Amino acid sequence: MDTTSVWRATAPGPGFAMLQDDVQCDVLAVGGGITGVTLALLLAEQGRRVVLLEAGEIGSGTTGHSTGNLYATTSQGLSEIASRWDDDVAREVVTQRKAAIDFIELQCRANPLAVFTRCPLVLYAREASDDRGVEEERQALARAGCLVRLDDRVPAGLPAARGPVMVLEDQAQLQPQAYVVELARRAAKAGASIHEHSRVLDLDTRNRVATTATGSVKAGEIVLATHSPKGFHLVHAEMTVHREYAVAFEAGAQDPGAGIFWWLGEEGLSIRMLGQGGKRYVIAAGPEHKTGVHNAKASLLAVEHVATQVLQPGPPLYRWSAQNYRSHDGLPYIGRDHTGCLIATGFSTDGLTWGTVAARGIAAELAGQADPFLQRCSPGRFTPAKGARTLAEENVATVRTLVEDWLTHGQQEQLSSLAPGDSAIVDSEGETFAAYRARDGELFAVSAVCTHLGCKVRWNSMETSWDCPCHGSRFRPDGTVIEGPAIAALRRKQAQLG
Ligand SMILES: Cc1cc2nc3c(=O)[nH]c(=O)nc-3n(C[C@H](O)[C@H](O)[C@H](O)COP(=O)(O)OP(=O)(O)OC[C@H]3O[C@@H](n4cnc5c(N)ncnc54)[C@H](O)[C@@H]3O)c2cc1C
Ligand code: FES
């Protein structure tokens, strides 16, 4: 299935050269999503020698597969932050996130392709059991000083509300891919050295050297802006990893206009409109699932089905999926960790704004300005009481999955008869490997053991990838890394069994 997002399909391509040298710099940013690109721009403007290495293209990670919404609250709810922490922390969160949105607005002034639009966020329930959630969120936002009101209906074109409708004014939306491409161009103009197709294959954190297939960078500081930090980091044990699915349809006759529309509940969707290149789209993003332990194609089709029923849009034009990393206590992890690198992760589905908060905070810290919010978000914080329940529940599920995986034997008999498009986990010569036969008949066989910390990978038929349920590393059928903390590819096997 083609999983290009509407953002990547409709934005101009970036076009930065691959790293082809051994270079030195003050700061290396690994990752060309919103976090890395914003940081590169800010550091270049400070006059620092900055290098940015991106494994694929600028925006090709989660940023170019998001939904492009910018809001002061969080998708789990400010009420959740207020109850885990307190109202003061909730207010800090709102202040930081509002400032980041204002910063993004400023960057978009000279970039019409980013389609930055101020709009309300509308949160509502379709079942009486979700009414309380709407009211708690309204109260938490009001206590944090936000302009929030109640309405009794949602704009025409959306599934009707059954209870209170909360409206948070002055939020925003943008075209995230067009935004980061333009920011990267400006960073390069300001002196940053930006390289695409330059995957870091080896990271020597002690000597601060990152090596790609065609060069290396020795840096004074390394910032891992890779969504989940590469290698072994303590935060991996504290985060849960989920995939979420989105579909962009041609808009139907009803158009609710600019707004972030969140409908709570099990089937709840995040809905928004987009006008781009003379076309009007309606975008629906749906419930998330833990990475590697569900049927991705079925999950995406479920979103498409529900959205088609309730929105009556035109035909689906783009379908995609992306991953989020949720911290144990509701706040992101930003700052230096035990490896000596600076990291920025745990953004949940709120990282266009959190990534901007992180980049601005790290740039300020590197300029010697202490940022109290960054202290709070320190990756080394110890706050088990603020998030233990969710994490424990998810970890139980993960451990159960792993035990089942290692007790279940492979399917030896299936390999020789593996049809084009089929995959299997196979035991052979005392080893377990992951096999996939491509549509053209080529057989790929790689070790099924994740190179991060040794969990067993699972097949994702929608995105043709092997996904690890433990910390979210994902691999192509040939074993190369797509995303997640793993650095090394899955070991390729000679597929003499084909
Ligand atoms: C379906 C979905 C919808 C979302 N919608 C929203 C939204 O509406 N609003 C919002 O605020 N947030 C949203 N988010 C979250 C948000 O998109 C992310 O948190 C944010 O984009 C993260 O940005 P980033 O720069 O940190 O990471 P990324 O954008 O993932 O960038 C990391 C980059 O690092 C690169 N990389 C990885 N490994 C290496 C390596 N070894 N060498 C070199 N480069 C490497 C990757 O290729 C990638 O481009 C959504 C998330 C999902 C899953
Ligand atoms: S991602 Fe950590 S073990 Fe696979």
Side-chain angles (χ1 to χ4, degrees):
M1 186 183 280
D2 180 11
T3 51
T4 308
S5 71
V6 66
W7 317 115
R8 292 193 40 78
T10 59
F16 293 99
M18 189 185 281
L19 177 74
Q20 280 180 326
D21 217 339
D22 298 324
V23 298
Q24 297 204 358
C25 64
D26 299 327
V27 184
L28 165 65
V30 186
I34 199 164
T35 310
V37 167
T38 310
L39 182 68
L41 173 66
L42 293 173
L43 294 176
E45 286 177 347
Q46 283 176 11
R48 290 186 176 247
R49 290 176 309 154
V50 53
V51 174
L52 184 151
L53 297 179
E54 164 55 46
E57 292 179 352
I58 296 296
S60 62
T62 322
T63 298
H65 294 89
S66 65
T67 30
N69 293 320
L70 306 170
Y71 36 86
T73 182
T74 64
S75 49
Q76 295 284 289
L78 195 69
S79 51
E80 183 83 6
I81 304 264
S83 71
R84 282 187 181 180
W85 295 82
D86 56 38
D87 281 347
D88 288 341
V89 174
R91 203 168 299 115
E92 280 177 40
V93 164
V94 163
T95 305
Q96 290 285 331
R97 290 178 61 82
K98 271 186 178 170
I101 298 169
D102 292 346
F103 170 90
I104 294 172
E105 182 171 27
L106 206 61
Q107 310 311 312
C108 289
R109 285 222 172 124
N111 180 11
L113 294 180
V115 220
F116 182 96
T117 315
R118 285 283 175 180
C119 65
L121 183 154
V122 177
L123 179 79
Y124 68 106
R126 304 233 312 137
E127 304 290 340
S129 53
D130 293 319
D131 285 359
R132 212 172 113 219
V134 175
E135 179 52 22
E136 282 174 359
E137 181 64 355
R138 188 195 67 77
Q139 288 179 12
L141 283 163
R143 290 197 304 273
C146 295
L147 199 61
V148 62
R149 64 183 167 82
L150 281 180
D151 214 331
D152 57 3
R153 69 184 63 184
V154 294
L158 294 171
R162 300 269 187 273
V165 176
M166 189 206 84
V167 182
L168 176 62
E169 302 289 1
D170 210 22
Q171 308 306 294
Q173 294 178 316
L174 86 170
Q175 207 296 19
Q177 178 69 24
Y179 176 71
V180 287
V181 167
E182 180 56 22
L183 235 54
R185 287 198 182 130
R186 281 181 44 210
K189 254 193 191 161
S193 211
I194 298 195
H195 301 281
E196 294 178 307
H197 308 293
S198 302
R199 177 178 293 281
V200 171
L201 297 171
D202 187 59
L203 194 60
D204 176 350
T205 51
R206 181 181 299 199
N207 295 305
R208 299 202 171 143
V209 179
T211 309
T212 72
T214 50
S216 69
V217 181
K218 179 157 177 53
E221 293 281 2
I222 295 181
V223 182
L224 296 176
T226 45
H227 206 198
S228 175
K230 305 305 276 187
F232 308 118
H233 298 264
L234 298 175
V235 293
H236 290 135
E238 296 182 349
M239 292 193 290
T240 53
V241 192
H242 297 89
R243 287 196 80 70
E244 199 178 315
Y245 305 88
V247 183
F249 302 85
E250 193 175 304
Q254 297 268 35
D255 189 332
I260 302 166
F261 305 112
W262 286 351
W263 133 41
L264 290 179
E266 248 175 49
E267 284 196 329
L269 296 176
S270 162
I271 297 163
R272 66 160 290 184
M273 307 300 291
L274 167 72
Q276 176 106 11
K279 267 201 170 147
R280 195 85 180 140
Y281 303 88
V282 56
I283 299 168
E288 57 182 31
H289 298 276
K290 201 166 157 19
T291 300
V293 293
H294 69 287
N295 182 333
K297 201 178 267 178
S299 305
L300 182 117
L301 291 176
V303 171
E304 189 169 320
H305 177 71
V306 174
T308 304
Q309 279 196 326
V310 298
L311 298 169
Q312 290 156 10
L317 301 177
Y318 301 98
R319 301 173 174 96
W320 68 96
S321 162
Q323 193 145 293
N324 72 66
Y325 300 86
R326 184 163 298 145
S327 73
H328 72 294
D329 61 12
L331 294 183
Y333 303 103
I334 306 169
R336 203 178 297 282
D337 80 353
H338 75 282
T339 64
C341 295
L342 290 144
I343 67 169
T345 188
F347 295 159
S348 188
T349 45
D350 311 314
L352 297 179
T353 303
W354 277 139
T356 306
V357 169
R360 298 179 79 212
I362 291 173
E365 289 247 325
L366 290 178
Q369 299 152 12
D371 181 333
F373 189 70
L374 248 61
Q375 304 298 316
R376 190 176 292 295
C377 294
S378 162
R381 66 183 181 261
F382 183 65
T383 55
K386 299 195 190 302
R389 187 171 49 83
T390 326
L391 191 68
E393 282 163 5
E394 293 261 357
N395 281 347
V396 166
T398 302
V399 168
R400 190 183 303 129
T401 305
L402 296 178
V403 170
E404 277 168 16
D405 268 353
W406 288 109
L407 291 179
T408 307
H409 288 292
Q411 304 139 301
Q412 175 70 62
E413 69 288 357
Q414 283 194 11
L415 189 58
S416 54
S417 58
L418 210 59
D422 272 0
S423 66
I425 295 285
V426 179
D427 283 341
S428 172
E429 296 164 13
E431 247 189 288
T432 307
F433 63 98
Y436 168 69
R437 193 182 294 281
R439 302 255 169 228
D440 64 5
E442 188 180 356
L443 182 67
F444 294 95
V446 293
S447 165
V449 181
C450 175
T451 57
H452 181 229
L453 288 174
C455 295
K456 205 191 257 186
V457 294
R458 300 273 190 101
W459 184 241
N460 172 342
S461 63
M462 186 181 92
E463 294 165 289
T464 326
S465 61
W466 293 105
D467 298 356
C468 180
C470 286
H471 314 105
S473 290
R474 298 181 56 239
F475 304 86
R476 294 190 182 84
D478 68 0
T480 51
V481 178
I482 301 172
E483 67 179 312
I487 297 180
L490 297 174
R491 200 158 37 84
R492 191 114 187 227
K493 302 228 165 201
Q494 286 311 314
Q496 65 281 66
L497 297 159

